[in-house]
Amino acid sequence: MNRIIPVASGKGGVGKSFLTVNLGVTLARMGKTVILVDLDLGGSNLHTFLGIRNTSSGIGNYLNKQCGSLEELIIPTDVDRLYFIPGDGLFTGAAQPHYFQKMKIIKELPSLVADYILLDLGAGTGNNIVDYYIPFSEGLIVTVPETTAILNAYSFLKSALSRSIFRSFPPHSEEREIVRNFFKERLEGSGESLEALAGKLSAINPSGSQSVRELIEGFYPGVIINMGRSATDRTLGSRLRSISRKNLGIEMQYLGYVEWMPGVSRSITGRRPYCLDNSDNLTKSLEGICRRLENMGPGGRIPSFEGDGDLDSLNWKETL
Ligand SMILES: Nc1ncnc2c1ncn2[C@@H]1O[C@H](COP(=O)(O)OP(=O)(O)OP(=O)(O)O)[C@@H](O)[C@H]1O
Ligand SMILES: [Mg+2]
């Protein structure tokens, strides 16, 4: 069974596509079969990171019914075991697909034969991005050491969780109304956690309230801090983690810290994945992140990391 890992950020330009490609290359070099999917519809550019010309059909063609299955779209890359499904570079206008079209993609992904399927998502917190994130428990959230990026990452997680809870109830139900009002009225820092929402729901639907608790518990994103330049930048993952825990009641794990490296933009201009030609700290960080992904148990949790109060220091102690 494949593992499907969406890569999101909230803020744009933080390195989602760069990391998606290079994590894919790293996993493939570890012997895994990987499919990269460009789901940044309206801004598809993953092919350029891979040095692939924009001539093959992709998700845009699929959404416009020019091909029958995602499998038909898979093309090889220059890296052994690494495959690619292009976005909508050839057939644009698919950035606002209907919900059922998104569900069609999401339902078909698990049938693709691979160890890992990495989904490169667009920037922002809109439903057209969030909907590709919430069906999978192992989503990554990439951010950079800037307050705006951390806040945007938090906003993304909040949108994802609220959408996930909202969609868990039937259309036009009273429960959906309660969820919508809760997120509309709730002020950050008011101290009203999602536990309060579960309480409100339990009055009309005890099993619905239980399923909200389960949704919150099952939501377990992995954070990557990219483009770090100083020791203090490493601690920012814990800031995101603490506001998410305090305001949303969710746990997350700090998967890794990736340094800013001057050679990255050269590798992108040269259309060749960075870690193919470099064995520096950046490449080693990616190997560490991939090893952590590999070590994860069901539901995206790393067993040995569970219950540890200080994920940050634990992560950095781990040998890369
Ligand atoms: N670790 C890094 N060191 C140096 N530069 C980096 C690093 N990671 C990413 N970059 C730079 O950041 C730029 C943006 O990266 P990328 O396109 O992957 O971001 P993105 O989050 O996918 O953006 P978008 O939201 O527009 O899709 C790249 O041009 C790259 O040069
Ligand atoms: Mg991108």
Side-chain angles (χ1 to χ4, degrees):
M1 169 117 170
N2 59 37
R3 289 173 65 178
I4 301 168
I5 303 185
V7 183
S9 66
K11 192 174 192 293
V14 299
K16 289 180 296 299
S17 304
F18 168 73
L19 289 175
T20 304
V21 165
N22 283 281
L23 288 171
V25 170
T26 306
L27 286 165
R29 291 169 106 191
M30 285 164 62
K32 304 292 162 191
T33 303
V34 183
I35 303 174
L36 306 177
V37 187
D38 191 344
L39 278 176
D40 183 358
L41 305 180
S44 293
N45 62 0
L46 216 58
H47 55 280
T48 58
F49 288 77
L50 288 161
I52 290 175
R53 289 180 57 220
N54 182 25
T55 50
S56 304
S57 296
I59 299 288
N61 304 75
Y62 175 84
L63 289 174
N64 286 288
K65 301 197 175 72
Q66 292 186 333
C67 59
S69 73
L70 290 181
E71 200 179 353
E72 290 170 41
L73 302 173
I74 299 174
I75 53 174
T77 71
D78 286 342
V79 179
D80 284 347
R81 294 178 291 277
L82 184 68
Y83 298 86
F84 176 51
I85 295 184
D88 63 346
L90 269 191
F91 204 119
T92 49
Q96 308 286 331
H98 289 295
Y99 185 69
F100 77 86
Q101 288 181 301
K102 287 182 271 188
M103 285 306 114
K104 194 165 173 273
I105 294 175
I106 286 161
K107 283 199 182 121
E108 212 177 310
L109 284 171
S111 68
L112 300 181
V113 180
D115 297 310
Y116 284 87
I117 299 180
L118 305 185
L119 313 178
D120 182 36
L121 303 186
T125 59
N127 289 345
N128 280 329
I129 294 148
V130 161
D131 282 343
Y132 295 115
Y133 193 84
I134 56 181
F136 309 108
S137 63
E138 299 190 90
L140 301 187
I141 185 100
V142 178
T143 189
V144 297
E146 284 167 22
T147 306
T148 49
I150 300 279
L151 291 176
N152 287 357
Y154 168 74
S155 300
F156 179 86
L157 294 174
K158 187 176 138 192
S159 301
L161 194 60
S162 61
R163 174 93 167 151
S164 178
I165 294 172
F166 179 80
R167 292 214 67 93
S168 70
F169 295 107
H172 314 298
S173 62
E174 198 181 336
E175 288 91 333
R176 275 199 177 185
E177 205 48 38
I178 291 175
V179 175
R180 186 182 310 159
N181 289 337
F182 181 85
F183 281 102
K184 207 159 59 185
E185 290 162 10
R186 188 168 161 264
L187 294 172
E188 294 306 342
S190 67
E192 201 178 19
S193 72
L194 287 182
E195 189 54 34
L197 173 63
K200 281 184 184 158
L201 288 166
S202 71
I204 59 160
N205 179 350
S207 67
S209 126
Q210 182 54 30
S211 68
V212 167
R213 287 198 179 88
E214 281 162 17
L215 262 175
I216 296 169
E217 271 173 29
F219 192 75
Y220 195 59
V223 184
I224 299 178
I225 302 284
N226 187 28
M227 298 197 236
R229 293 176 193 249
S230 71
T232 50
D233 289 347
R234 287 176 182 254
T235 64
L236 286 169
S238 58
R239 221 203 286 170
L240 177 59
R241 190 167 160 252
S242 63
I243 54 169
S244 302
R245 180 189 279 155
K246 180 167 162 273
N247 291 337
L248 303 176
I250 59 168
E251 290 298 334
M252 51 174 56
Q253 74 184 335
Y254 196 172
L255 270 182
Y257 169 85
V258 179
E259 282 179 32
W260 183 89
M261 286 286 182
V264 168
S265 76
R266 242 191 339 268
S267 78
I268 295 170
T269 315
R271 296 172 170 240
R272 206 176 134 79
Y274 183 88
C275 60
L276 284 180
D277 302 320
N278 296 277
S279 50
D280 55 6
N281 278 353
L282 194 159
T283 300
K284 288 196 179 101
S285 299
L286 296 177
E287 286 164 5
I289 291 168
C290 290
R291 267 204 302 278
R292 281 175 209 123
L293 288 173
E294 267 295 280
N295 289 337
M296 277 178 178
R301 279 166 165 75
I302 300 173
S304 57
F305 280 25
E306 277 253 73
D308 191 283
D310 186 0
L311 273 181
D312 303 328
S313 61
L314 193 84
N315 276 353
W316 315 132
K317 266 190 257 155
E318 206 198 71
T319 40
L320 284 170

